[in-house]
Amino acid sequence: GENVEQHPSTLSVQEGDSAVIKCTYSDSASNYFPWYKQELGKGPQLIIDIRSNVGEKKDQRIAVTLNKTAKHFSLHITETQPEDSAVYFCAAKEPDDYKLSFGAGTTVTVRA
Amino acid sequence: NAGVTQTPKFQVLKTGQSMTLQCAQDMNHEYMSWYRQDPGMGLRLIHYSVGAGITDQGEVPNGYNVSRSTTEDFPLRLLSAAPSQTSVYFCASRYEGFKGNEQFFGPGTRLTVL
């Protein structure tokens, strides 16, 4: 099955700086890579996703890049704000599998 | 739409007790799943279902049972609770198809087993 590794486990950034979280996956057939944000006491919520036929996707201050050759994908948050403080999860999905495989999560803290 | 709902929000059990965590979705999603979340271990899949009457095991199924009698409901049963099952449990549902794969999570159930 798919194995997803996520780094770093914790990340502290100054407000206004950028944050980058990286994930690697094991199965080269995986073709869907979502990112979830989990605020304290809530369930994870999708913030952005990318498919294997696209190298980069942006949505306002967040972007995701995918390197299929190296089997890694990254989340970039620019101009961080206090409300970006949360736990972020990456995930990967194989085309013939219903299951999403999640990384262990990154706790992001934005310092004011 | 209410999305994915879970009850209860909090529960304390004694070792050996049984209980059912409820999950419902009103989006007509075929795929539903249960995860547990423990510090430093991310979201681990317990059981999942690809439609009414069809269930399968995830990576940590021991000690849990599920059933899927309707599209809307996917309860998780703890047969004999153990302290190792202390965790936060999330139910999720997803549409599988050309419209996308966004998975929606419920608000979670925080379970403590004494």
Side-chain angles (χ1 to χ4, degrees):
Chain A
E2 176 64 275
N3 182 48
V4 178
E5 294 189 355
Q6 183 172 347
H7 300 279
S9 57
T10 60
L11 181 60
S12 179
V13 297
Q14 190 70 36
E15 183 177 357
D17 288 349
S18 295
V20 180
I21 304 169
K22 298 181 179 180
C23 290
T24 61
Y25 59 100
S26 60
D27 190 341
S28 57
S30 289
N31 64 351
Y32 176 66
F33 308 93
W35 285 90
Y36 286 83
K37 176 183 181 182
Q38 184 182 28
E39 297 178 344
L40 194 63
K42 297 184 178 181
Q45 186 171 12
L46 181 73
I47 55 172
I48 195 167
D49 56 10
I50 193 168
R51 298 189 181 278
S52 58
N53 59 347
V54 176
E56 183 176 6
K57 185 177 179 181
K58 290 183 179 180
D59 184 3
Q60 299 182 358
R61 294 186 299 107
I62 61 174
V64 57
T65 58
L66 172 65
N67 184 326
K68 287 188 293 182
T69 303
K71 291 189 287 186
H72 68 70
F73 56 112
S74 300
L75 178 71
H76 304 254
I77 307 173
T78 59
E79 301 174 15
T80 53
Q81 301 170 3
E83 54 263 38
D84 295 327
S85 294
V87 179
Y88 292 81
F89 292 99
C90 63
K93 179 182 175 298
E94 301 167 52
D96 296 326
D97 196 343
Y98 287 97
K99 303 185 293 292
L100 280 176
S101 298
F102 284 88
T106 298
T107 300
V108 174
T109 302
V110 179
R111 308 186 306 272
Chain B
N1 287 349
V4 181
T5 58
Q6 291 183 238
T7 56
K9 289 188 177 181
F10 301 94
Q11 183 71 49
V12 178
L13 293 177
K14 294 181 179 179
T15 297
Q17 287 185 315
S18 62
M19 78 159 295
T20 299
L21 279 63
Q22 302 292 344
C23 173
Q25 53 93 8
D26 61 357
M27 297 172 282
N28 201 32
H29 288 165
E30 292 186 346
Y31 181 81
M32 296 186 73
S33 51
W34 276 101
Y35 296 86
R36 59 177 290 171
Q37 183 176 24
D38 302 293
M41 303 190 75
L43 295 159
R44 292 185 293 169
L45 184 66
I46 304 172
H47 285 285
Y48 66 98
S49 169
V50 300
I54 307 170
T55 63
D56 207 346
Q57 296 181 351
E59 59 183 300
V60 288
N62 292 343
Y64 308 94
N65 276 357
V66 292
S67 60
R68 185 91 179 272
S69 57
T70 67
T71 299
E72 295 78 19
D73 300 299
F74 190 43
L76 178 72
R77 299 185 189 84
L78 281 70
L79 307 176
S80 178
S84 60
Q85 294 179 304
T86 294
S87 187
V88 182
Y89 292 85
F90 290 100
C91 179
S93 75
R94 188 173 81 238
Y95 169 81
E96 253 324 285
F98 65 91
K99 293 182 181 179
N101 299 110
E102 180 175 357
Q103 182 154 292
F104 296 85
F105 285 85
T109 295
R110 185 174 294 274
L111 175 68
T112 301
V113 182
L114 303 175

